[in-house]
Amino acid sequence: MEHSFVPRAGVCVYVREDICSRRLGSLEGSDLSILWLRVDSDDHPRVYVCLYRSHSGNAETDRLIDHVQMATDSLLQQVPSAEIVILGDFNAHHAEWLGSRLTDHAGRSVYDFALAYGLTQLVTSPTRIPDVEDHTPSLLDLLLTSHPDGYQVSVDAPLGSSDHCLIRSVVPLTLPSRLRSAGCRRVWHYRSADWDGMRSFFASYPWGRVCFLPDDPSAVADSVTDVVLQGMELFIPSSVVPIGGRSQPWFGRSCKTALRSKQECYQAWAAASVTRDVNTSTLKKKYNFASRSFKRVIAKAKSEHIGRIGEKLVRLPSGTRAFWSLAKAVQGNFCKPSLPSLHREDDSLAHDAKEKADLLGSLFASNSTVDDGGNTPPTIPRCECSMPDVRFSQRSVRRALLSLDIHKSSGPDGIPPIVLRTCAPELAPVLTRLFRYSYSLGVVPKSWKTAFVHPIPKKGDRSDPSNYRPIAITPLFSKIMESVVNCHLMRYLEDHQLISDRQYGFRRGRSAGDLLVYLTHRWALAVESKGEALAVSLDIAKAFDRVWHKALLSKLPSYGLPEKLCNWITSFLADRSIKVVVDGACSDYKPINAGVPQGCVLSPTLFLLHINDMLQAGSIHCYADDSTGDALYTGRANISRENVTEYRNKLVSEVESLLDKVSDWGRLNLVQFNPQKTQVCAFTAKKNPFVSTAKHKYFYRLSQRIFVTATTLGRRIGNCSFF
């Protein structure tokens, strides 16, 4: 909403989200009720001039008209093809032009202005019907345009208690292709589904003859997907609804009937007021009664709608996904955009959903694109154990199907989890055969490599595209196979203790709280024993998005993974693409050559294998990519200041050595650390501050920031002297 308000006057404009518009503030006066707005379309730009002229003297009228004239000249010099649309309450009278009883100074000024710029006045009916008997209807609200073709203008009943009518103008607006609506979406009605019929259909379908004849896993996967979608078409009712929801979900049939009655009464009263053939007082009373009835119906409909929402919220368990989904929908009136306007690099804004999706798609794709420059991937020592090949049994696949969350969304293939979970016994044999076929050939179906990416906001300015995390939504068939593979892989890695014991992320029985307690205990013991500790926190920039595939794949055989699994993971990471979805609008497909998709089942385990050898650098602990390296010493009572200085220099040397090793690891693996999140902290209870004279470039840069520890840690240690 844009507005230009002055005391006791003003104008405001509401613009729909999917229309690209911008305000032309340089053409507006500081003390005038006027607003300029440009709307771009395929054929020509339109510039709307919204104004209000109060019942002022001739001097104020001349000042307003002169300002509009100079601003119009300036605009047409810059944009000669622009259509000028001037609308608002002019409070002007002209006998010949507007059908008034007399012609005043404002009427002559506006008429001369319209002739000078070739503007056509499109409102033909009176826009103010007075209540006083001897007052005549007046045409005070005008719409002037330089391109009158295609306009449809009508005069409707006033809104609320206003004595001015509502002017409705409809004009064809051809939006650019990038701004067109995202269309509609299909909604499946699962409560009315014939689940028994669907299970019988899947159980009796000739899967082998129809789906497994080709020698290409991609074609087999697509055929299985088509059969499942065919079963949904046959046994689940559906409907098509517009994307974005309704802005007035409470406006039902009773509201439409009351509105129609109000409009009919108003039209009869307005016609009688112009012709004066009948007594208008009776028609005025009918209109007043219809108007009050309409207000009561609207108020009742809103109240009942709010009551129904309240009943739903009461029935839903507090804190559940369904509860907060409905609560957010109510807060956004069921049609609020999920993301604000986003800033581009050239300081322009991406307003509509398609523009936001394209902007985020380009950003996410660039973050997941790595140019290795022909570098050789690093090698690590090979372990002494070997992992057996993954075996896909119907029991494990059925267990994975039954564990699906039916409240999760479907993937790019459109198959929802409720269908796979409900028909798990019938689909488990088919999917088991598909997974075995894909694994034996080491080929992941192409359709599984395309992910719909949903941007999730992080901390910071939500209008900054870099403050969003890409969460990939992949086909459920891929997730089920990944879950079976990941189960075997993690069991092997944990049983043979191949993952560093200092890694706390994505591991069963470990959490960030465990790591915090352990490090707090280490540092507190050092301080309580008259010693000190030095800690450095590191954060990998775009950790999941910029995993170098060659480096990761070169490490897999060293952990004893079988050749078939390595080939399958290689195919899983190759030739991937993303498509960002924002409010139903999709970006173009963007290819990527790096990263492990955030949202895939297998991605956390692959990331742990990628970063695992970094933990061999020294005393460094991790929760996923958030790493903390430390060094400490235990002292004694009455330790001399010289010994303290010696110990401190030793701590600095240990941290410098750790940073050197981590830096070398990052260089070999094409990993960059985020300097904004790299922090250092010294923990001490001594009175003299911990000051380092180290000149090491890494340590000097890291020591410019402070590592903010937990409040409980600060209370336990006591005095903390920071760099």
Side-chain angles (χ1 to χ4, degrees):
M1 190 268 284
E2 299 286 350
H3 63 82
S4 176
F5 293 148
V6 297
R8 302 181 64 83
V11 293
C12 65
V13 176
Y14 288 85
V15 183
R16 206 171 64 192
E17 282 287 338
D18 61 339
I19 295 179
C20 184
S21 65
R22 60 181 182 272
R23 185 172 176 178
L24 307 178
S26 60
L27 301 179
E28 301 173 4
S30 58
D31 56 346
L32 296 174
S33 296
I34 189 171
L35 189 148
W36 290 70
L37 197 72
R38 173 172 174 167
V39 175
D40 292 322
S41 59
D42 276 345
D43 45 6
H44 62 271
R46 287 184 172 90
V47 177
Y48 290 88
V49 186
C50 307
L51 61 84
Y52 168 74
R53 191 195 76 84
S54 61
H55 298 278
S56 55
N58 295 342
E60 291 295 323
T61 300
D62 292 340
R63 191 167 70 90
L64 174 64
I65 298 299
D66 291 343
H67 176 84
V68 175
Q69 182 174 349
M70 289 187 295
T72 303
D73 292 338
S74 175
L75 173 70
L76 293 178
Q77 289 179 0
Q78 301 175 15
V79 191
S81 62
E83 174 186 353
I84 305 297
V85 182
I86 304 178
L87 66 161
D89 183 2
F90 286 78
N91 281 310
H93 298 274
H94 196 284
E96 297 179 2
W97 188 41
L98 304 178
S100 306
R101 285 187 175 182
L102 50 86
T103 301
D104 59 7
H105 178 73
R108 286 190 295 268
S109 300
V110 176
Y111 180 69
D112 294 340
F113 172 79
L115 289 179
Y117 289 89
L119 304 179
T120 303
Q121 206 287 112
L122 300 181
V123 183
T124 58
S125 303
T127 62
R128 180 179 180 274
I129 309 298
D131 294 337
V132 183
E133 291 292 338
D134 57 343
H135 287 191
T136 59
S138 304
L139 203 171
L140 304 179
D141 306 276
L142 311 180
L143 192 154
L144 309 172
T145 177
S146 58
H147 295 62
D149 296 337
Y151 276 82
Q152 299 177 4
V153 180
S154 60
V155 179
D156 295 333
L159 294 177
S161 58
S162 174
D163 60 347
H164 281 249
C165 301
L166 176 66
I167 313 300
R168 188 185 307 274
S169 171
V170 179
V171 58
L173 180 62
T174 305
L175 298 177
S177 57
R178 58 184 174 87
L179 299 176
R180 287 171 186 161
S181 174
C184 301
R185 64 185 179 93
R186 193 170 193 175
V187 176
W188 299 95
H189 305 292
Y190 302 115
R191 292 183 179 180
S192 304
D194 181 8
W195 295 111
D196 292 335
M198 180 181 292
R199 285 191 288 264
S200 300
F201 173 77
F202 290 149
S204 60
Y205 195 85
W207 298 95
R209 297 197 306 269
V210 176
C211 301
F212 288 90
L213 288 181
D215 295 332
D216 181 12
S218 298
V220 174
D222 293 342
S223 298
V224 173
T225 300
D226 292 340
V227 174
V228 175
L229 292 175
Q230 181 182 356
M232 294 173 57
E233 293 276 359
L234 294 174
F235 300 100
I236 304 179
S238 64
S239 59
V240 178
V241 298
I243 292 177
R246 297 168 54 195
S247 61
Q248 295 178 331
W250 44 266
F251 197 90
R253 181 177 300 177
S254 60
C255 299
K256 294 179 181 179
T257 302
L259 177 61
R260 189 182 305 111
S261 176
K262 174 186 173 182
Q263 295 286 7
E264 292 174 354
C265 293
Y266 169 76
Q267 296 295 341
W269 172 48
S273 299
V274 174
T275 59
R276 294 190 173 274
D277 295 336
V278 298
N279 186 7
T280 60
S281 59
T282 302
L283 298 176
K284 178 64 167 64
K285 292 179 180 179
K286 290 184 178 180
Y287 166 71
N288 290 339
F289 178 79
S291 180
R292 290 192 296 267
S293 299
F294 175 68
K295 292 180 181 179
R296 288 194 296 267
V297 171
I298 291 293
K300 181 180 179 181
K302 290 182 179 180
S303 177
E304 292 177 349
H305 177 68
I306 294 174
R308 289 192 296 269
I309 294 176
E311 293 176 358
K312 290 183 180 179
L313 290 175
V314 171
R315 289 196 302 268
L316 293 174
S318 179
T320 61
R321 180 185 180 93
F323 175 87
W324 287 113
S325 177
L326 180 59
K328 290 180 179 179
V330 173
Q331 183 181 8
N333 195 25
F334 298 90
C335 60
K336 183 179 179 180
S338 59
L339 304 182
S341 298
L342 302 178
H343 287 279
R344 296 190 182 94
E345 292 183 356
D346 59 357
D347 288 337
S348 62
L349 291 177
H351 291 285
D352 78 308
K354 183 63 168 62
E355 285 184 328
K356 298 173 187 176
D358 287 334
L359 177 59
L360 291 172
S362 300
L363 176 64
F364 294 156
S366 64
N367 291 338
S368 296
T369 302
V370 172
D371 182 9
D372 57 17
N375 290 357
T376 303
T379 58
I380 60 176
R382 184 179 178 88
C383 67
E384 298 179 354
C385 52
S386 298
M387 175 183 172
D389 272 319
V390 178
R391 294 187 177 275
F392 297 91
S393 63
Q394 293 188 22
R395 181 179 179 182
S396 61
V397 174
R398 186 186 304 114
R399 187 187 307 116
L401 290 172
L402 293 175
S403 64
L404 292 174
D405 185 355
I406 63 174
H407 299 292
K408 297 291 186 179
S409 61
S410 58
D413 55 5
I415 298 178
I418 188 174
V419 172
L420 301 182
R421 180 172 174 176
T422 305
C423 304
E426 292 76 21
L427 294 176
V430 182
L431 295 181
T432 302
R433 183 176 178 180
L434 172 61
F435 298 160
R436 290 173 179 172
Y437 188 46
S438 173
Y439 182 80
S440 63
L441 296 180
V443 177
V444 176
K446 294 180 180 179
S447 58
W448 295 3
K449 300 181 183 182
T450 299
F452 282 177
V453 173
H454 290 259
I456 304 299
K458 299 187 290 188
K459 294 182 180 179
D461 184 9
R462 295 190 61 180
S463 64
D464 184 0
S466 62
N467 284 329
Y468 287 86
R469 177 181 291 106
I471 300 299
I473 307 298
T474 54
L476 288 179
F477 289 170
S478 176
K479 287 189 175 182
I480 296 167
M481 185 173 182
E482 290 176 54
S483 65
V484 177
V485 172
N486 188 66
C487 182
H488 286 77
L489 180 57
M490 283 300 297
R491 185 186 304 117
Y492 164 75
L493 296 174
E494 294 288 0
D495 290 346
H496 294 83
Q497 299 180 356
L498 296 178
I499 299 179
S500 174
D501 192 53
R502 293 192 291 270
Q503 175 62 260
Y504 285 75
F506 308 122
R507 301 181 68 181
R508 187 181 299 275
R510 301 192 180 205
S511 66
D514 296 332
L515 178 58
L516 177 60
V517 170
Y518 174 70
L519 293 179
T520 301
H521 177 70
R522 279 173 55 88
W523 300 332
L525 283 180
V527 174
E528 290 172 354
S529 63
K530 310 301 180 182
E532 295 175 307
L534 187 62
V536 177
S537 69
L538 305 172
D539 182 83
I540 298 177
K542 307 298 180 184
F544 280 76
D545 301 332
R546 298 187 66 82
V547 172
W548 184 23
H549 288 171
K550 288 184 179 180
L552 170 61
L553 296 174
S554 68
K555 300 175 184 178
L556 297 183
S558 301
Y559 291 104
L561 271 62
E563 182 180 0
K564 288 184 178 180
L565 179 57
C566 293
N567 293 336
W568 190 87
I569 294 177
T570 301
S571 177
F572 174 78
L573 296 175
D575 302 324
R576 298 194 69 92
S577 61
I578 61 174
K579 195 174 190 179
V580 178
V581 180
V582 177
D583 294 333
C586 299
S587 69
D588 299 329
Y589 283 104
K590 306 290 184 180
I592 58 176
N593 68 352
V596 287
Q598 299 187 54
C600 289
V601 179
L602 197 57
S603 294
T605 304
L606 295 178
F607 183 79
L608 293 185
L609 294 176
H610 171 63
I611 201 177
N612 192 52
D613 54 314
M614 187 190 75
L615 301 183
Q616 310 303 322
S619 179
I620 183 170
H621 297 78
C622 286
Y623 183 81
D625 62 310
D626 295 323
S627 310
T628 301
D630 66 351
L632 54 88
Y633 73 90
T634 57
R636 63 182 185 277
N638 301 322
I639 187 173
S640 65
R641 179 168 296 184
E642 290 77 10
N643 288 338
V644 170
T645 302
E646 181 181 354
Y647 282 133
R648 288 178 171 177
N649 289 334
K650 184 179 180 181
L651 291 184
V652 172
S653 298
E654 291 180 9
V655 173
E656 287 178 345
S657 176
L658 175 63
L659 293 175
D660 275 332
K661 295 178 181 179
V662 172
S663 178
D664 292 339
W665 179 88
R667 178 177 52 81
L668 293 175
N669 291 270
L670 302 185
V671 170
Q672 296 179 351
F673 291 89
N674 190 345
Q676 299 299 324
K677 297 182 180 180
T678 302
Q679 304 166 333
V680 64
C681 177
F683 302 98
T684 179
K686 302 183 183 300
K687 294 182 179 180
N688 55 323
F690 197 123
V691 179
S692 172
T693 58
K695 299 300 182 181
H696 192 280
K697 58 180 180 179
Y698 300 110
F699 189 79
Y700 179 77
R701 183 178 73 248
L702 299 180
S703 63
Q704 307 306 307
R705 299 185 60 83
I706 301 300
F707 176 55
V708 181
T709 59
T711 304
T712 55
L713 176 61
R715 287 200 300 264
R716 181 173 180 181
I717 294 180
N719 177 36
C720 294
S721 178
F722 300 103
F723 281 57

